[in-house]
């Protein structure tokens, strides 16, 4: 089987309504995308799967949903104002703006010229005005990561939930980065979603938990359908670590354009909670934090035995929804040779991620009896609460099967004339293309089994 190309995925996404260029009718907006009917379902399924594994299947993690607009003080004390930048160079020949660390052999990738400016730091944060007066003083940032609002809410969550260390706060939502060169479809964009966990532990237990979370996250990606062979772990070298990190392991995936970061698992020590705490002098913070914080909170925990205050360490698994989406599509997509010059495109998604869980197809679109029976079955399957079920009334059974193979629907149910006589339907399996007949009253049970595998 040949490797899937980015062009194949882009074309599928557009053709079938997974992803569209944002603002397309006005020429688009670079590095920004919209999700169509199927893309929205797949994205929601992926996020739900993450939320289930983080919040519902554990007893030591709470979820929050914080604001996107962020007080500049938060991002000053987190270090983002000073250091959240990429090295920018300009090509003097073709005027392209480039990220220096993405250039090879000191040549402009667009025109080949070596006439480049010296690199200068370019801060990636978007600013916006808050309130009616635009004098530059009333601004907020669009958050560049969801993490900081988890740290600023640490005390709120600790005070309102009955947790002791180790415990975590999970958040899922939009983040914004003014990337110098957005590229590779949805891999590097300016508006994206992150799935982030901040898992707080006692100082000294951080290395153990770093390893535990790396293993858990690897297993989760495999459960979403990524092949172990397409994944590598990368220990980020000391000199490349972000300003807050003591150690970072990146989960790298073989995207169509190369091996790149899918998720980062960082050991952030006490840097963030320490930076946002008042009275830092009595807290014994190990990381070098900004002094004189304007915060009025002490983001620390009192040891019940010694009565001493300490700032927890934190392990942060941080994954991008879009990169996950792209990896999952890449893994699931294949073009199968059916012999005699025929082929089919199939998206072998794990059923819990499939945008459409089942399609119910009346054999003839104008036959009222068939359509009515199909509608009743569709409603019954929909009521199972397992995700979207579609009444596919296009009238062409072959085309319907091909469409649903291509969008990853695990199961098609055809209502035909025999159904009217003996109450059976045809169930077609996406992966094997096998067709079996089943009694109508067994269809719901079979559906549950297919989706929960
Ligand atoms: P990169 O080195 O590729 O720019 P990063 O190390 O800056 O990524 P993090 O700050 O660790 O990324 O962000 C956590 C996750 O958020 C990444 O692993 C990635 O999945 C996602 N992410 C970060 N930047 C983008 C982006 N511009 N577009 C899409 N996803 C992103």
């Amino acid at each position: 089987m040949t490797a899937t190309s980015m062009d194949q995925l882009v074309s599928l996404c557009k053709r079938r309504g997974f992803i569209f260029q944002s603002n397309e009718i006005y020429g688009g907006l670079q590095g920004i995308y919209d999700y169509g009917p199927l893309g929205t379902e797949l994205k929601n399924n992926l996020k739900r799967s993450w939320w289930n594994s983080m919040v519902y299947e554990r007893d030591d993690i709470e979820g929050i949903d914080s604001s996107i607009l962020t007080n500049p003080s938060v991002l000053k004390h987190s270090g983002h104002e000073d250091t959240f930048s990429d090295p920018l160079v300009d090509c003097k020949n073709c005027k392209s703006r480039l990220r220096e660390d993405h250039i090879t052999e000191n040549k402009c990738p667009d025109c080949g010229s070596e006439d480049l400016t010296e690199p200068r730091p370019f801060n990636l944060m978007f600013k916006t005005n808050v309130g009616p007066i635009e004098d530059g003083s009333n601004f907020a940032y669009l958050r560049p990561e969801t993490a900081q609002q988890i740290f600023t809410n640490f005390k709120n969550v600790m005070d309102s939930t009955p947790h002791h260390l180790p415990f975590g706060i999970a958040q899922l939502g939009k983040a914004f980065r003014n990337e110098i060169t957005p590229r590779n479809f949805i891999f590097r964009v300016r508006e994206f979603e992150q799935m982030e966990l901040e898992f707080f532990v006692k100082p000294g237990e951080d290395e153990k938990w770093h390893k535990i979370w790396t293993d858990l996250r690897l297993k989760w990606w495999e459960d979403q359908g990524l092949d172990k062979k397409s994944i590598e772990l990368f220990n980020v070298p000391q000199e490349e670590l972000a300003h807050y990190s003591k150690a970072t392991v990146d989960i790298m995936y073989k995207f169509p354009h190369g091996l790149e970061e899918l998720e980062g698992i960082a050991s952030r020590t006490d840097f963030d909670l320490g930076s946002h705490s008042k009275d830092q002098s009595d807290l014994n913070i190990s990381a070098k934090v900004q002094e004189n914080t304007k915060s009025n909170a002490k983001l620390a925990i009192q040891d019940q035995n010694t009565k001493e205050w300490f700032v927890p360490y934190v392990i942060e698994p941080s994954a991008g929804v879009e990169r996950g989406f792209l990896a999952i599509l890449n893994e699931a997509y294949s073009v199968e040779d059916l012999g005699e010059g025929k082929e089919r495109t199939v998206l072998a998604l794990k059923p819990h991620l499939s945008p459409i869980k089942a399609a119910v197809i009346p054999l003839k679109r104008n036959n009222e009896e068939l359509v009515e029976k199909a509608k009743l079955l569709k409603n019954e399957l929909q009521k199972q609460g397992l995700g979207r079920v579609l009444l596919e009334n296009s009238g062409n059974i072959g085309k319907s099967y091909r469409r649903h193979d291509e969008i990853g629907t695990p199961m098609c149910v055809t209502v035909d004339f025999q159904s009217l006589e003996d109450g059976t339907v045809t169930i077609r399996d996406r992966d094997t293309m096998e067709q079996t007949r089943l009694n109508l009253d067994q269809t719901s049970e079979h559906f549950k089994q297919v989706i929960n595998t």
Side-chain angles (χ1 to χ4, degrees):
M1 201 164 51
T2 51
T4 304
S5 71
M6 192 70 100
D7 285 348
Q8 283 174 305
L9 297 183
V10 172
S11 151
L12 170 80
C13 284
K14 167 111 202 197
R15 192 169 63 248
R16 294 301 188 188
F18 282 89
I19 299 175
F20 308 122
Q21 173 68 53
S22 188
N23 303 276
E24 195 175 13
I25 61 167
Y26 288 105
L29 195 53
Q30 213 198 353
I32 317 274
Y33 289 91
D34 292 339
Y35 286 75
L38 297 180
T40 305
E41 294 292 337
L42 173 48
K43 217 176 178 206
N44 285 343
N45 292 342
L46 179 63
K47 292 191 282 186
R48 191 175 304 113
S49 173
W50 183 86
W51 194 263
N52 282 344
S53 78
M54 287 293 176
V55 184
Y56 294 173
E57 290 164 17
R58 300 183 63 104
D59 298 314
D60 54 359
I61 296 179
E62 300 289 340
I64 64 163
D65 182 15
S66 70
S67 69
I68 286 169
L69 292 177
T70 308
N71 183 325
S73 289
V74 172
L75 293 157
K76 174 175 171 37
H77 291 289
S78 67
H80 284 80
E81 271 196 349
D82 292 335
T83 61
F84 197 63
S85 53
D86 281 334
L88 169 72
V89 295
D90 290 304
C91 171
K92 290 188 195 161
N93 184 44
C94 73
K95 312 290 178 227
S96 286
R97 305 214 115 167
L98 309 162
R99 223 176 108 166
E100 194 221 7
D101 53 339
H102 286 171
I103 297 176
T104 43
E105 295 171 354
N106 211 29
K107 272 191 188 143
C108 170
D110 295 337
C111 72
S113 166
E114 292 181 14
D115 196 5
L116 308 175
T117 60
E118 284 299 308
R120 59 192 187 282
F122 173 75
N123 196 297
L124 301 180
M125 290 195 293
F126 282 98
K127 270 183 186 175
T128 189
N129 197 61
V130 176
I133 300 163
E134 280 192 50
D135 65 358
S137 63
N138 296 331
F139 74 94
Y141 288 112
L142 304 191
R143 65 184 181 201
E145 58 178 26
T146 67
Q148 289 309 317
Q149 307 285 42
I150 296 183
F151 298 125
T152 57
N153 276 300
F154 173 77
K155 196 166 166 0
N156 291 335
V157 178
M158 278 307 270
D159 287 352
S160 56
T161 59
H163 288 292
H164 302 288
L165 295 185
F167 110 104
I169 305 178
Q171 172 156 236
L172 210 163
K174 291 263 181 178
F176 299 81
R177 295 184 188 179
N178 199 2
E179 296 281 353
I180 296 169
T181 43
R183 59 176 61 175
N184 293 318
F185 192 31
I186 53 168
F187 176 82
R188 185 174 301 286
V189 285
R190 291 184 167 134
E191 174 176 339
F192 55 100
E193 285 186 88
Q194 288 185 314
M195 306 182 278
E196 294 198 302
L197 167 70
E198 305 302 327
F199 195 76
F200 302 100
V201 301
K202 284 194 181 139
E205 294 187 353
D206 46 320
E207 284 175 21
K208 178 183 91 183
W209 280 104
H210 199 192
K211 169 90 183 68
I212 292 173
W213 275 110
T214 305
D215 293 345
L216 284 172
R217 296 304 302 146
L218 271 176
K219 164 86 177 48
W220 186 81
W221 282 114
E222 282 171 36
D223 292 345
Q224 310 317 303
L226 302 196
D227 188 342
K228 250 195 195 137
K229 290 192 217 107
S230 311
I231 298 177
E232 281 179 29
L233 288 183
F234 174 69
N235 282 299
V236 179
Q238 281 294 319
E239 64 278 11
E240 288 176 27
L241 288 176
H243 62 278
Y244 50 73
S245 174
K246 169 180 160 188
T248 296
V249 178
D250 285 344
I251 299 181
M252 311 286 283
Y253 174 76
K254 284 183 191 140
F255 287 96
H257 62 283
L259 186 70
E260 294 249 27
E261 177 182 333
L262 170 66
E263 169 162 355
I265 302 151
S267 180
R268 291 177 85 126
T269 70
D270 51 4
F271 178 85
D272 301 274
L273 290 183
S275 302
H276 294 307
S277 285
K278 67 167 186 177
D279 300 337
Q280 292 164 352
S281 51
D282 66 336
L283 285 179
N284 250 334
I285 295 165
S286 75
K288 195 175 169 296
V289 297
Q290 305 253 356
E291 280 162 16
N292 306 324
T293 178
K294 287 182 191 156
S295 144
N296 57 18
K298 190 171 185 173
L299 305 178
I301 285 189
Q302 193 173 26
D303 187 299
Q304 292 309 305
N305 299 320
T306 64
K307 301 292 171 211
E308 275 190 23
W309 287 87
F310 68 94
V311 178
Y313 274 35
V314 68
I315 305 300
E316 177 198 70
S318 169
V321 175
E322 287 71 9
R323 289 188 191 180
F325 190 114
L326 188 59
I328 283 162
L329 275 193
N330 180 56
E331 201 75 31
Y333 183 98
S334 69
V335 180
E336 280 179 16
D337 185 355
L338 301 176
E340 298 169 1
K342 288 189 194 141
E343 54 184 32
R344 71 163 184 155
T345 303
V346 59
L347 209 50
L349 293 169
K350 292 270 180 185
H352 73 278
L353 295 175
S354 291
I356 307 294
K357 305 299 181 197
V360 183
I361 313 170
L363 187 67
K364 287 246 177 302
R365 66 185 302 185
N366 295 326
N367 184 300
E368 272 178 35
E369 250 185 304
L370 289 179
V371 174
E372 194 48 37
K373 216 173 185 58
K375 264 189 194 162
L376 286 173
L377 180 60
K378 184 251 151 166
N379 291 343
E380 187 191 322
L381 298 184
Q382 188 63 71
K383 274 195 205 128
Q384 302 291 326
L386 297 169
R388 186 159 186 212
V389 179
L390 207 73
L391 180 77
E392 183 67 68
N393 196 10
S394 64
N396 183 324
I397 195 84
K399 265 195 183 160
S400 298
Y401 284 160
R402 271 197 298 284
R403 171 175 136 80
H404 283 282
D405 286 344
E406 209 180 22
I407 64 174
T409 308
M411 159 178 156
C412 287
V413 189
T414 302
V415 178
D416 55 20
F417 292 106
Q418 194 182 330
S419 313
L420 301 179
E421 284 165 22
D422 65 5
T424 62
V425 287
T426 300
I427 308 278
R428 178 185 179 272
D429 180 271
R430 175 196 67 200
D431 299 331
T432 62
M433 292 189 281
E434 249 172 31
Q435 300 189 20
T436 42
R437 281 205 85 86
L438 211 62
N439 276 324
L440 263 173
D441 56 9
Q442 293 167 339
T443 313
S444 278
E445 203 44 47
H446 180 77
F447 177 51
K448 262 191 244 167
Q449 276 170 19
V450 169
I451 302 306
N452 290 326
T453 49

